[in-house]
């Protein structure tokens, strides 16, 4: 057995408490062996957590990682115009090597910010999988299907592709990669194709992941056409099981919240993207109260404009307060729980808890900078004061992805340089 | 003449455009001499801006800096309970040395994040002024007066103190320190005392700065007692001139917006604090439309919980979109203008523009990290992707306050250590 020890710091425990403790992990199984003061003393490799706090590696439970290439490409437009006028046209220019470059850039950014797992919905998924495998984090990947407005042949090919990707990569990279069937949304995929997505997911035993109720533009047409709410429609199609998970859930009514709670389907809240696109505020306190499982996601960098999970955590905690008009609407501790165990569970990925037997996915966050001094309450700091740049080490599956702020599995300089060049070329092609 | 040159980067110009240019400043006058490619070549001292953007030093136009000692001390309560149950009791324990320690901590955090000017409302202002003088940034300082619930003698002493502070420190630290008379708010200071504050401000020729319309609890009592809106009341008292500026302005109606625009009184928007305390969203687009002068402030670290002006900028841009239901409600460029020239002008401090003849107050922001790559639009990045830790150098009045992320005027280790110790002692005393 070869061990990794993280010593000298405090540890965020699954119950939300924080205690002085070391963490010992087995690098072969990628599991945590013990969490206790002194256990890291004889470890084969050591990470220093003094002055910091060991937290579960964060899971970004909804993203389109390669969209880092489009960071700042278009801003200040609502979702529909932003997609149709700017994002979709430029995405049409993205080749496989662009997706690889953008995904690696996003992974570099996320590992720097303590992310050890990500859910990615995109295309050229072979490239996404290769980037994830090389970088050493976990992911749940899928090909995002759109069928509306496409001819029959194209629809066939889209459905075939999402099924192929889900079949091919589930369990890849020593099990770090899992997959999902990913119909884009309830309004951009027709009913028959949604049906076939459900069949594929059940057949392959992987979840469904899709956008739902992000804007009223995704709700009103369903209500008009079918006389039921979108999540009732999804439920009728069998899209809401306890392994399936949806992104956004901004415009959900009480009946839909009840359905989500009853089916055990998780919702990935994306507050930064929702605010920036003026999509609305998901009713997080009401969903929590009803028992809906909740995680957090950054969405793509083109509508955020970063992939920092601490921004997302702070936005979740403060937007919930603002929207409810209640400063106690989402306190620090449940917000942090949503960002850790909540996101890992929503995505169906290991991790999210620092405890014996759990996956050795963790981040060490410095709490000694001016902006994190003093430390009256480290959980408050995680929610309200810490930013991605405070992460000192990132570990996934017992392997060090970042040590003392140096990436260990990616050549950062090369990644940044290549992304810069490709982004420029893509923007140039789109502008022609 | 002794010169400072900033070379190799891009420069954010007063009109919002970004061009390749160097900046040359005179260290004696503290003024910018030229902004043009090549002008820094023969400078006596040089700062490297390659891969970055030179922006005006940011002004935090409303804060209570020493409250960094209370960062994370109490969260998740609405303003009134948060103040009465937690903040005021613990603030009662703060002695002059605590205020010095907390102010230095906050200044260290702010200079790291590119802040060169701050408006501070607090007590033990001698200590605040000493910290500002030593650290080398600019400030507009005042003693925050509260009179309601106090006996006559105490009220006299409060009014005397705010006047003394305004008189004593205006023009101190080679002119870097300016002052204001600072009645806390329209509901915590009685009408007669407000009247006397106005007289003191006019007599001393300094602005008034006060909290106004932060919550409905600050609006309703005025409307009930006087039959007019709070800012009509303030206007009747003569508190709204073009040098005066107020914090928050969350619950202002159309008539009040008209008064603000007409009088030229600036409003300092504090979106992070407003969201965290669930106070509401200031009608920033409506105020802009009406021509109200707007700046940004972090408020105190106890309700934010940091003093990062880039968080504030992002929150301002996204909260405005969310509140208006319009993704174009406050685009990146006007948000950045609000954070730069807007904040400096609101506070009545020099700076806010990189141009010949302006104060040599500037920050160099790196744009080469993964989370700021690629750069399709640097102004978008300033609004949506940059965080305080991206600042490489900070210069105020032609003097380097931070070079390559090393503070030059403060001993950061000592500042952090002292603040940590004093915060612990204060919390202990408050808990007894």
């Amino acid at each position: 057995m070869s061990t990794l020890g993280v010593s000298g710091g405090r540890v965020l425990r699954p119950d939300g408490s924080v205690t002085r403790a070391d963490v010992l992990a087995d690098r072969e199984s990628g599991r945590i062996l013990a969490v206790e003061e002194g256990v890291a003393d004889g470890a084969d490799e050591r990470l220093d957590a003094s002055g910091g706090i060991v937290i579960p590696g964060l899971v970004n439970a909804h993203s389109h990682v390669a969209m880092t290439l489009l960071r700042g490409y278009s801003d200040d437009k609502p979702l529909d115009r932003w997609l149709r006028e700017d994002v979709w046209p430029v995405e049409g220019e993205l080749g496989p090597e662009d997706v690889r470059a953008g995904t690696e850039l996003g992974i570099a950014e996320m590992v720097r910010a303590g992310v050890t797992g990500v859910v990615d919905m995109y295309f050229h998924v072979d490239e996404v999988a290769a980037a994830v495998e090389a970088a050493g984090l976990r992911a749940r990947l899928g090909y995002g299907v759109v069928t509306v407005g496409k001819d029959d042949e194209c629809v066939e090919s889209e459905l075939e592709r999402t099924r192929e990707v889900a079949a091919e990569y589930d369990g890849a990279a020593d099990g770090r990669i899992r997959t999902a069937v990913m119909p884009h949304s309830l309004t951009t995929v027709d009913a028959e194709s949604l049906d076939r997505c459900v069949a594929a997911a059940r057949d392959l035993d992987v979840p469904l992941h899709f956008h739902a109720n992000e804007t009223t533009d995704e709700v009103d047409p369903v209500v008009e056409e079918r006389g039921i709410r979108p999540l009732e429609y999804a439920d009728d199609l069998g899209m809401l099981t306890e392994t399936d998970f949806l992104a956004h859930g901004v415009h959900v009514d009480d009946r839909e919240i009840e359905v989500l709670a009853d089916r055990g389907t998780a919702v990935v809240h994306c507050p930064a993207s929702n605010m920036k696109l003026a999509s609305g505020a998901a009713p997080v306190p009401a969903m929590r109260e009803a028992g809906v499982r909740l995680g957090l996601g950054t969405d793509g960098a083109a509508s955020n404009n970063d992939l920092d999970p601490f921004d997302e955590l702070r936005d979740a905690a403060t937007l919930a307060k603002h929207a409810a008009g209640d400063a106690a609407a989402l306190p620090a501790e449940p917000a942090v729980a949503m960002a850790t165990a909540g996101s890992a569970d929503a995505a169906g990925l290991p991790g999210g808890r620092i405890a014996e037997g759990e996956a050795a996915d963790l981040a060490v966050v410095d709490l000694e900078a001016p902006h994190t001094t003093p430390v009256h309450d480290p959980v408050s700091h995680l929610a309200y004061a810490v930013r991605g740049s405070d992460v000192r080490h990132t570990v996934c599956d017992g392997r060090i992805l970042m040590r003392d702020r140096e990436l260990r599995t990616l050549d950062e300089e090369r990644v940044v340089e290549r992304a810069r060049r490709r982004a420029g070329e893509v923007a140039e092609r789109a502008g022609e």
Side-chain angles (χ1 to χ4, degrees), chain A:
Chain A
M1 193 165 68
S2 162
T3 56
L4 173 69
V6 185
S7 57
R10 293 186 255 198
V11 173
L12 175 66
R13 306 285 190 145
D15 66 359
S17 67
V18 174
T19 56
R20 294 226 156 263
D22 299 341
V23 178
L24 186 71
D26 175 9
R27 294 196 284 194
E28 282 146 32
S29 68
R31 295 275 149 187
I32 293 173
L33 297 168
V35 184
E36 206 180 313
E37 277 195 273
V39 291
D41 289 353
D44 297 306
E45 186 165 10
R46 294 275 286 278
L47 289 172
D48 175 34
S50 58
I53 180 169
V54 185
I55 66 169
L58 297 163
V59 172
N60 182 356
H62 177 71
S63 194
H64 315 281
V65 180
M67 290 183 84
T68 51
L69 284 201
L70 309 179
R71 192 197 310 275
Y73 178 76
S74 168
D75 302 298
D76 307 324
K77 290 185 179 183
L79 181 62
D80 187 64
R81 284 185 51 210
W82 176 79
L83 284 174
R84 286 173 205 283
E85 294 174 13
D86 301 319
V87 172
W88 286 343
V90 71
E91 278 187 332
E93 300 295 334
L94 294 177
E97 293 186 346
D98 301 313
V99 168
R100 177 68 175 261
T103 304
E104 285 192 359
L105 177 68
I107 291 174
E109 177 184 356
M110 288 191 288
V111 170
R112 284 205 154 281
V115 171
T116 56
V118 63
V119 173
D120 191 69
M121 177 193 288
Y122 220 57
F123 49 96
H124 298 310
V125 183
D126 300 334
E127 299 296 331
V128 179
V132 167
E133 172 149 24
L137 77 169
R138 296 181 199 279
R140 189 171 290 278
L141 306 180
Y143 176 81
V145 176
V146 172
T147 67
V148 169
K150 295 192 173 167
D151 64 30
D152 287 355
E153 201 178 327
C154 186
V155 168
E156 274 311 313
S157 143
E158 288 275 286
L159 291 169
E160 188 49 38
R161 191 72 196 120
T162 200
R163 188 193 172 95
E164 268 173 18
V165 161
E168 183 175 348
Y169 291 106
D170 199 44
D174 299 324
R176 284 187 287 105
I177 295 180
R178 304 302 308 269
T179 62
V181 172
M182 298 195 181
H184 180 267
S185 78
L186 303 170
T187 51
T188 53
V189 181
D190 68 280
E192 192 196 322
S193 297
L194 287 172
D195 232 3
R196 291 173 62 188
C197 285
V198 174
R202 302 308 167 231
D203 183 34
L204 298 168
D205 197 21
V206 301
L208 288 162
H209 177 55
F210 52 99
H211 297 94
N213 301 46
E214 180 174 358
T215 64
T216 51
D217 289 345
E218 289 185 8
V219 173
D220 299 345
V222 178
V223 173
E224 271 166 42
E225 192 187 339
R226 302 176 189 277
I228 52 174
R229 298 280 304 177
L231 295 185
E232 295 178 303
Y233 169 51
D235 192 39
D236 288 349
L237 287 164
M239 295 177 73
L240 304 180
T241 72
E242 59 188 12
T243 57
D244 303 323
F245 59 111
L246 60 89
H248 299 295
V250 172
H251 300 277
V252 290
D253 73 3
D254 291 348
R255 169 76 193 117
E256 289 174 295
I257 291 175
E258 206 182 300
V259 171
L260 287 167
D262 188 61
R263 302 293 181 265
T265 304
V267 173
V268 181
H269 178 41
C270 303
S273 176
N274 295 157
M275 289 177 82
K276 181 157 184 274
L277 296 169
S279 302
V284 169
M287 289 196 279
R288 279 189 69 219
E289 175 84 21
V292 177
R293 298 165 54 219
L294 289 162
L296 286 177
T298 60
D299 210 348
S303 63
N304 186 306
N305 288 350
D306 61 46
L307 305 180
D308 185 338
F310 292 99
D311 274 0
E312 223 54 43
L313 172 44
R314 192 175 75 105
D315 285 349
T318 59
L319 177 60
K321 294 167 178 36
H322 172 73
D326 173 7
L330 182 62
E333 193 180 310
V336 169
M338 191 187 301
T340 53
S343 291
D345 294 353
L349 291 173
R353 293 162 189 85
I354 304 288
E356 189 187 326
E358 296 287 340
D361 294 9
L362 56 86
V364 177
V365 178
D366 274 337
L367 295 177
E368 294 190 309
H371 70 278
T372 50
T373 299
V375 186
H376 292 294
D377 174 359
V379 175
S380 161
H381 276 15
L382 292 172
Y384 301 119
V386 165
R387 50 200 182 205
S389 50
D390 296 317
V391 175
R392 190 193 299 171
H393 316 300
T394 305
V395 171
C396 181
D397 203 25
R399 181 182 178 199
I400 300 172
L401 306 188
M402 180 173 74
R403 180 178 191 126
D404 291 318
R405 294 187 169 76
E406 293 282 331
L407 298 183
R408 298 268 293 245
T409 56
L410 289 170
D411 178 342
E412 182 170 318
E413 204 171 315
R414 197 190 56 83
V415 166
V416 166
E417 177 47 38
R418 192 173 61 160
R420 183 183 299 134
R421 183 170 46 78
R422 292 212 160 260
E425 289 165 6
V426 165
E428 202 164 301
R429 288 201 298 276
E432 273 166 6

